[in-house]
Amino acid sequence: EVQLVESGGGLVQPGGSLKLSCAASGFDFSASAIHWVRQASGKGLEWVARIRSKADSYGTAYSASVKGRFTISRDDSETTAHLQMNSVKIEDTAVYFCARLRWVGGTNCFDYWGQGTLVTVSP
Amino acid sequence: IQMTQSPSSLSASVGDRVTITCRASQNINTFLNWYQLKSGKPPKLLIYGASNLQSGVPSRFSGSGSGTDFTLTITRLQPEDFATYLCQQTYSAPPFTFGPGTNVEIK
């Protein structure tokens, strides 16, 4: 069974740091790209970051709103991905989900998601 | 690429047929996915590649379209279908842009 479990959320002050983790099981983690997506309260989904597999040189990408402040990484030996959040802002307050990118039939999608971890940025 | 959805919300009854539209600001071929979002739960993939039903998703859900215009149709709306539905493009990504969502409410 595919599982993604996020952890590390909590309360942090503006300008502070937080590190989120996404522990994966039930699939070939090392061959999968992992993404982070967030949802602010009452809002829709915002894509945050992605890290590709070793075969794709661990390529990373970020949304404009977090670039330069957040860093995505992965540890294939631990089947875990991380999102290091630095210089956080109040507008980073959201539930953060990790998701697996799946390629199928020449297209791709996020087929498995974790339950999410809440990050609250407040003075 | 910008994604828009219409309507932003709708009211429907159990058993109704519901159609939600998603439009991309430029051609995205069929790189369009649909997700269902419920409070307190992770997003659920419904349709990928514009028209492919994700395994385990009821057949009352269907998707169509290509290029810039897409639709999600729910035939015979069920009580568990009241939720928010979002489209997502993965053609020109990153960023993997989501639409703003359509809230399906009980009439």
Side-chain angles (χ1 to χ4, degrees):
Chain A
E1 178 191 8
V2 173
Q3 279 198 318
L4 295 166
V5 180
E6 302 93 339
S7 61
L11 177 64
V12 59
Q13 293 186 335
S17 297
L18 206 60
K19 186 173 185 178
L20 308 183
S21 297
C22 171
S25 61
F27 65 100
D28 188 356
F29 179 83
S30 63
S32 300
I34 299 297
H35 294 245
W36 287 93
V37 176
R38 67 186 180 184
Q39 181 185 19
S41 180
K43 304 292 186 180
L45 299 176
E46 179 188 11
W47 175 81
V48 173
R50 87 71 170 124
I51 186 164
R52 286 175 162 166
S53 66
K54 180 179 181 180
D56 290 315
S57 304
Y58 297 125
T60 60
Y62 302 90
S63 67
S65 60
V66 309
K67 193 171 185 178
R69 300 187 297 121
F70 290 11
T71 301
I72 190 172
S73 62
R74 64 189 295 157
D75 183 337
D76 289 346
S77 66
E78 297 288 334
T79 64
T80 300
H82 302 282
L83 185 68
Q84 177 67 47
M85 307 170 61
N86 296 333
S87 304
V88 296
K89 305 175 181 180
I90 289 176
E91 52 264 39
D92 293 323
T93 296
V95 175
Y96 285 73
F97 299 99
C98 61
R100 179 183 83 162
L101 182 77
R102 169 193 174 207
W103 278 93
V104 54
T107 186
N108 54 34
C109 56
F110 296 161
D111 63 342
Y112 284 97
W113 299 67
Q115 289 295 316
T117 187
L118 176 62
V119 172
T120 303
V121 183
S122 180
Chain B
I1 296 178
Q2 305 301 315
M3 307 300 293
T4 58
Q5 288 183 232
S6 61
S8 58
S9 66
L10 64 89
S11 295
S13 301
V14 172
D16 283 354
R17 176 188 178 98
V18 168
T19 299
I20 299 168
T21 297
C22 175
R23 177 165 289 175
S25 59
Q26 62 190 72
N27 180 18
I28 59 171
N29 200 327
T30 56
F31 283 75
L32 190 285
N33 306 315
W34 289 97
Y35 299 88
Q36 180 189 65
L37 196 57
K38 291 184 176 181
S39 179
K41 292 189 174 182
K44 177 183 179 181
L45 176 67
L46 300 174
I47 302 287
Y48 64 91
S51 61
N52 300 286
L53 191 68
Q54 170 68 353
S55 175
V57 174
S59 59
R60 63 180 179 273
F61 290 92
S62 64
S64 64
S66 67
T68 60
D69 295 316
F70 304 86
T71 59
L72 173 70
T73 299
I74 311 171
T75 57
R76 298 181 301 279
L77 198 67
Q78 297 300 298
E80 60 268 30
D81 300 337
F82 292 97
T84 298
Y85 294 86
L86 297 93
C87 59
Q88 176 203 31
Q89 71 84 20
T90 61
Y91 177 77
S92 177
F96 294 73
T97 322
F98 291 92
T102 295
N103 187 30
V104 177
E105 301 173 325
I106 301 174
K107 182 182 286 184

